[in-house]
Amino acid sequence: MPSPTRTLKDKVVVIGGASRNLGGLIAREVGQDGAKVVVHYNSPSSKEAAEKTAAEVEKAGGQAVVHEADLTKVAEVEGLFDVAEAAFDRVDCMVNTAGMVIKKPMTEVTEEEYDRMFAVNSKAAYFMMREAAKRLQDGGKIVTVVTSLLAAYTGLYSVYAGSKAPVEHFTRALSKELFGRNISVNNIAPGPMDTGFFYPAETDDSIAYHKSSAMNGELTKIEDIVPYVKFLLTDGWWLNGQTLFINGGYTTR
């Protein structure tokens, strides 16, 4: 049995992108462990899903509040943490799953697409981490979801993987800066996940290729990722400054 300080019971967990898919499942799972969850969603179109996630957290035995924020705006990132502190008086953990993907040749990427991808995948990640560093209790945990494509030699994802790549350095830098506070900072890099986030950018042939690149011929399932997130939030506290490639061998490094 882990010690009480390494459980999620009564821990306040801010989850970026928690209305559905991986973020929603993380919220429900930590709720089962008695966590107090701030369910973030990005836009009005996700409000209903976020409220459903929050209801499921509470049904599972946790507590939850829901908050809309555009994480590419620093003031709204700050507001998300304000809500967490107002609701639960503290913040213990931050998990950011928010992201955006496009797949196209570099010669076809527009300036607007480049700016948007870096705003969502890099800037938002940076300021979520920055604000977490300011707000978390000593002994807290910071986890950001990146992508296994960081270890891939491939075309067509230049602006997606490229906008995720800086997060590795953000993680190394922040984890070092937080020495003395016992706050661990890590990334999880899933393989292509079997969610609605993945399919719009792909073709039947590319989906088959992605499946064939993992050890069992399947895409990564969100259920395969959540145990590693929970591990980093509890007994995995000694891991720090790392990127974990959880992908069935899709890429290695």
Side-chain angles (χ1 to χ4, degrees):
M1 289 290 290
S3 68
T5 58
R6 295 181 192 167
T7 74
L8 288 167
K9 176 69 174 173
D10 295 325
K11 299 293 185 182
V12 179
V13 184
V14 174
I15 303 178
S19 63
R20 56 174 63 88
N21 296 332
L22 178 59
L25 183 58
I26 293 168
R28 294 191 294 273
E29 289 284 324
V30 300
Q32 287 183 352
D33 292 344
K36 301 173 181 178
V37 185
V38 180
V39 177
H40 160 263
Y41 66 100
N42 182 66
S43 64
S45 63
S46 300
K47 182 178 181 179
E48 184 177 348
E51 290 176 340
K52 181 180 178 183
T53 295
E56 291 171 342
V57 168
E58 296 197 337
K59 184 178 180 181
Q63 299 179 46
V65 294
V66 174
H67 184 68
E68 178 184 342
D70 179 349
L71 300 183
T72 68
K73 298 178 179 177
V74 175
E76 296 197 25
V77 172
E78 294 169 344
L80 176 62
F81 283 83
D82 288 341
V83 166
E85 291 179 336
F88 301 123
D89 297 322
R90 58 187 284 151
V91 184
D92 297 290
C93 305
M94 188 280 285
V95 180
N96 184 24
T97 73
M100 173 178 284
V101 62
I102 60 171
K103 178 184 181 182
K104 58 172 57 178
M106 185 181 286
T107 53
E108 297 178 12
V109 174
T110 67
E111 181 179 6
E112 291 75 18
E113 288 171 331
Y114 178 97
D115 287 345
R116 181 62 178 161
M117 293 293 287
F118 270 83
V120 173
N121 292 332
S122 185
K123 179 184 177 181
Y126 185 95
F127 285 100
M128 283 288 279
M129 292 167 67
R130 187 200 75 165
E131 204 59 28
K134 291 181 176 182
R135 308 284 189 118
L136 259 60
Q137 300 290 308
D138 289 357
K141 314 290 186 294
I142 296 172
V143 179
T144 305
V145 175
V146 288
T147 172
S148 281
L149 290 174
L150 296 181
Y153 180 50
T154 183
L156 305 180
Y157 297 101
S158 62
V159 73
Y160 172 58
S163 58
K164 291 280 193 178
V167 181
E168 284 203 274
H169 186 72
F170 302 160
T171 293
R172 287 194 293 269
L174 183 59
S175 66
K176 192 77 168 183
E177 292 170 14
L178 292 176
F179 274 23
R181 294 186 56 197
N182 223 25
I183 294 175
S184 63
V185 188
N186 293 288
N187 301 317
I188 284 184
M193 289 188 287
D194 188 8
T195 71
F197 179 84
F198 167 74
Y199 290 101
E202 302 296 331
T203 65
D204 289 346
D205 286 346
S206 67
I207 291 169
Y209 173 78
H210 286 301
K211 288 181 176 181
S212 72
S213 298
M215 64 181 180
N216 60 353
E218 296 181 4
L219 298 174
T220 296
K221 295 180 173 59
I222 57 175
E223 293 83 1
D224 297 327
I225 300 300
V226 173
Y228 294 92
V229 175
K230 291 177 66 177
F231 176 68
L232 290 177
L233 298 181
T234 53
D235 287 343
W237 68 279
W238 191 237
L239 270 165
N240 196 23
Q242 308 297 321
T243 298
L244 305 183
F245 287 79
I246 314 298
N247 59 24
Y250 174 80
T251 58
T252 67
R253 190 171 63 184

